[in-house]
Amino acid sequence: MISKAHPPENPLLDVENLAVRFKSADGQLIEAVRRVSFKLDPEQILAVVGESGSGKSVSALAIMGLLPHRSAQIDPASAIRFKGESLLDLSASAWRGIRGRKIAMIFQDPMSSLNPVYSVGYQIAEMLQVHEGQSKSQAMRAAQALLEEVGMPEPNLRIHAYPHELSGGQQQRVMIAMAIACGPELLIADEPTTALDVTIQRQILELLLNLKIKRRMSMLFITHDLGLVGEFADEVVVMRHGQIRESGSAKRIFTDPQDIYTKALIHCRPDAGKPYSRLLTIDDFDTPGSSPPPLTGSLSAPSEAVFGEPVLEVRGLRKVFPRRVGLWRRDDVIAVDDVSFKLFKGQTLGIVGESGSGKSTTGLCVVRLHQATAGEVLFEGTDLRTMSEAAFMPLKRRLQIVFQNPYASLNPRFTVGQILTEPMRLHGIGSNALERESKLKDLLDRVALPASSVNRYPHEFSGGQRQRIAIARCLALEPDVIVCDEAVSALDVSVQAQVLNLFKDLQRELSLSYLFISHDLGVVRYMADALIVMHQGRVVEQGSADSIYSNPHHDYTRELLRSVPRGFQS
């Protein structure tokens, strides 16, 4: 745990009564931030926590002067002061002297922030040339030193790389190098680890903390995950619907939360160290007297004998992606190498590992969205890998997949009714439109969506509702096995809890089997009966979920578990 800074008399950043409205296309004003006030002292870390739509990122953009001028309106009574100077009164030229030099920001998605046509070294050096007046050669040397400071492997080579040639963690390191290039006093980090695997997330957090101490910076850390900030934040502000619900020291927020919403955020997120019988949601905390979710009575997962015969068995699965280097030479990528496992009826098998471990490729090979290079995928004893497309067609509906991104996996031009009935029509489920309409209503009821959803389009729903639609689309085909590929990683913690509970309910009701793929060990702990851990395309550990979590044998598994956020630690 990082030692806490002692607050001085004058704050570095003072936000007072910040109110931001946006003008919609039809001229209506939407309140995004409502009278928000907080202070940040020198060399202090303030975490602003809230779910999507809470106003936390809008507040950060207001501090940086980056709100869109045409649609955003800041209330005249609002005040944002940096070292006593008002930021809301600055001209465009005055802002250029502050952004990057005094206040810098790291954004959530580095690929949308980095220019794809310039090398990362050029982009870092450009900042030093513009803000510091360095020559091109000086700036490139300084850029390489910055890449080395942020822990970039082989900085002398990576300085010439383009963003798409780097991993997600390396791209974020480049963004951090750009942010600290001019020695800012305040670093704003807006969800800098959300899209990263748990071990890379841990590395980035430790890097930010070390840089904060070394450079004596203050940090405004924005996240939707309250459990993430407990280990390093001095102060915490909890936001919902544009308002501050609770604020205080990290210790007080975690040990004695006062607001119902804060309590919900703490308990909605599954803990990798505890097996839950059911997750509580935000709605559960509206009932007086709600308590944390109960632990299961037994830590032992059901044995294979309890489940009976496997519904799916994978033997020696291998997937190679051909890659040509130059005109004559090939350098093939082995994504999955000799992977074997069994999945039983009514069981959840978790697959965990970092990006590039081969876990998603394994799932895609199972449902034949990737054609495996070698091995067997036996579904009720029949090898799916070797059969023709025509022979596979009747089995296709029994093997379904829920993808990570509900925004990209639903056809934006189809209504919910069309999204759910088209698969039924293609696979001959329901003898006529009337039967399919009846089944459609039942599907919506199963995933807790109102009947009025039938005529609405995907963009009219929240992320959690869209994922429910994607689940209903799978259920429309009456599957036996559902591959869940990072199916809840894009969701806020409270919505995630709702969807995970839904998965559990459907499994009990329909005896579904899940192949549950995730890099979040807390989520997998809640869902999985058995577990396989993948690293660099191979299975490094396999067994019951409880035995692996309580007594991991492989160093890589232990590293994954050590990297899981633990909340507040004194």
Side-chain angles (χ1 to χ4, degrees):
M1 181 79 180
I2 300 299
S3 61
K4 307 300 183 183
H6 297 288
E9 294 181 3
N10 299 315
L12 180 73
L13 178 70
D14 187 1
V15 177
E16 187 176 355
N17 290 324
L18 178 63
V20 182
R21 301 180 183 88
F22 286 93
K23 183 180 287 186
S24 64
D26 58 4
Q28 292 185 342
L29 289 177
I30 301 169
E31 290 188 282
V33 179
R34 307 177 185 186
R35 304 297 172 196
V36 165
S37 300
F38 58 80
K39 295 180 181 181
L40 175 62
D41 294 321
E43 300 185 50
Q44 187 184 54
I45 298 177
L46 172 66
V48 180
V49 183
E51 298 180 289
S52 298
S54 64
K56 59 188 187 299
S57 292
V58 173
S59 300
L61 292 173
I63 294 168
M64 289 292 294
L66 293 176
L67 289 174
H69 296 295
R70 291 187 178 182
S71 60
Q73 299 178 5
I74 298 180
D75 191 280
S78 303
I80 302 176
R81 290 180 287 269
F82 179 73
K83 300 178 73 172
E85 179 183 8
S86 175
L87 299 182
L88 296 179
D89 302 327
L90 295 180
S91 64
S93 59
W95 262 117
R96 285 194 290 271
I98 288 182
R99 287 196 201 102
R101 301 191 69 179
K102 295 182 179 180
I103 306 175
M105 189 167 181
I106 306 168
F107 296 95
Q108 177 176 347
D109 183 8
M111 273 305 286
S112 63
S113 304
L114 295 170
N115 194 320
V117 301
Y118 292 112
S119 69
V120 296
Y122 175 90
Q123 296 181 62
I124 299 171
E126 183 182 35
M127 290 189 61
L128 295 167
Q129 290 175 271
V130 171
H131 289 289
E132 302 294 318
Q134 296 184 10
S135 67
K136 182 178 180 180
S137 59
Q138 287 176 323
M140 287 300 286
R141 286 195 296 271
Q144 182 172 323
L146 284 164
L147 288 177
E148 185 174 0
E149 185 177 0
V150 299
M152 179 71 76
E154 300 179 306
N156 58 319
L157 299 178
R158 296 286 187 265
I159 195 171
H160 303 295
Y162 290 86
H164 73 272
E165 297 178 295
L166 303 177
S167 68
Q170 290 172 342
Q171 291 167 8
Q172 201 60 286
R173 288 176 189 272
V174 172
M175 290 298 300
I176 295 170
M178 294 176 68
I180 67 172
C182 299
E185 296 174 69
L186 171 60
L187 181 62
I188 300 175
D190 187 8
E191 301 272 13
T193 63
T194 297
L196 303 179
D197 295 318
V198 62
T199 53
I200 306 301
Q201 173 181 274
R202 171 67 61 179
Q203 293 172 18
I204 295 298
L205 286 176
E206 290 178 351
L207 169 62
L208 288 171
L209 291 173
N210 291 333
L211 289 172
K212 176 255 178 189
I213 295 170
K214 176 182 177 182
R215 291 174 170 259
R216 305 188 68 177
M217 296 185 298
S218 297
M219 191 185 305
L220 187 66
F221 193 95
I222 297 168
T223 181
H224 69 271
D225 189 347
L226 185 57
L228 185 67
V229 303
E231 296 182 44
F232 64 88
D234 300 301
E235 299 287 320
V236 175
V237 170
V238 180
M239 291 185 66
R240 190 186 192 195
H241 299 156
Q243 296 177 305
I244 292 179
R245 296 293 295 263
E246 187 169 2
S247 62
S249 69
K251 179 179 181 180
R252 207 274 300 159
I253 292 290
F254 276 87
T255 58
D256 187 27
Q258 301 298 306
D259 190 82
I260 288 176
Y261 181 65
T262 309
K263 294 177 182 178
L265 285 181
I266 291 174
H267 292 300
C268 283
R269 194 185 196 284
D271 185 342
K274 300 176 183 177
Y276 294 108
S277 59
R278 188 171 184 81
L279 297 174
L280 288 184
T281 65
I282 297 291
D283 292 339
D284 294 324
F285 282 81
D286 290 335
T287 305
S290 295
S291 58
L295 298 178
T296 53
S298 172
L299 294 180
S300 58
S303 66
E304 294 182 359
V306 172
F307 290 110
E309 291 297 315
V311 65
L312 180 74
E313 184 173 1
V314 172
R315 299 175 182 171
L317 188 70
R318 181 178 172 87
K319 175 61 180 176
V320 179
F321 290 99
R323 183 174 65 175
R324 188 174 296 279
V325 181
L327 187 60
W328 306 110
R329 191 164 63 89
R330 289 170 58 111
D331 184 19
D332 294 346
V333 177
I334 302 174
V336 177
D337 190 14
D338 194 25
V339 169
S340 301
F341 59 82
K342 294 178 181 180
L343 177 65
F344 297 85
K345 187 174 181 62
Q347 184 195 37
T348 299
L349 174 64
I351 304 181
V352 299
E354 299 173 287
S355 295
S357 63
K359 59 187 188 299
S360 290
T361 302
T362 299
L364 293 171
C365 286
V366 166
V367 296
R368 289 197 16 155
L369 290 178
H370 280 332
Q371 187 63 44
T373 307
E376 295 176 295
V377 181
L378 302 174
F379 180 68
E380 296 181 343
T382 303
D383 190 0
L384 303 180
R385 192 182 76 83
T386 57
M387 64 173 50
S388 66
E389 187 62 33
F392 178 62
M393 189 64 181
L395 296 176
K396 185 181 292 187
R397 71 174 187 84
R398 299 176 63 190
L399 291 151
Q400 289 296 299
I401 185 168
V402 179
F403 295 99
Q404 175 177 353
N405 188 351
Y407 298 87
S409 59
L410 300 175
N411 191 327
R413 297 182 180 180
F414 277 20
T415 65
V416 170
Q418 291 171 309
I419 288 171
L420 299 185
T421 56
E422 186 196 36
M424 289 190 262
R425 182 179 57 80
L426 290 174
H427 288 272
I429 295 176
S431 57
N432 53 49
L434 195 61
E435 281 191 22
R436 287 191 284 271
E437 177 118 356
S438 175
K439 185 172 177 63
L440 167 63
K441 293 177 181 177
D442 179 59
L443 286 169
L444 291 175
D445 187 56
R446 281 186 188 277
V447 298
L449 286 173
S452 59
S453 304
V454 171
N455 297 315
R456 294 166 63 189
Y457 291 86
H459 73 270
E460 299 179 76
F461 295 88
S462 68
Q465 289 172 324
R466 293 187 207 196
Q467 200 62 295
R468 288 172 182 270
I469 295 168
I471 295 168
R473 182 177 56 184
C474 289
L475 297 177
L477 298 178
E478 301 170 353
D480 297 292
V481 175
I482 297 180
V483 177
C484 303
D485 187 11
E486 299 279 11
V488 297
S489 63
L491 305 178
D492 289 322
V493 288
S494 65
V495 179
Q496 174 181 277
Q498 295 171 12
V499 174
L500 291 175
N501 286 338
L502 173 62
F503 275 127
K504 286 273 195 178
D505 292 340
L506 292 171
Q507 185 174 51
R508 281 190 290 266
E509 185 180 347
L510 304 173
S511 296
L512 295 171
S513 300
Y514 294 135
L515 197 62
F516 200 91
I517 299 166
S518 179
H519 67 267
D520 189 326
L521 276 78
V523 168
V524 176
R525 173 65 156 156
Y526 173 64
M527 287 295 300
D529 303 301
L531 189 66
I532 64 174
V533 182
M534 292 189 65
H535 181 52
Q536 296 181 350
R538 299 184 69 89
V539 175
V540 296
E541 191 156 359
Q542 187 168 1
S544 74
D546 295 322
S547 64
I548 288 178
Y549 277 94
S550 60
N551 186 29
H553 295 294
H554 197 276
D555 289 341
Y556 178 71
T557 310
R558 287 193 285 268
E559 178 62 24
L560 285 178
L561 291 170
R562 277 196 299 268
S563 300
V564 175
R566 301 295 180 186
F568 180 79
Q569 296 179 353
S570 58

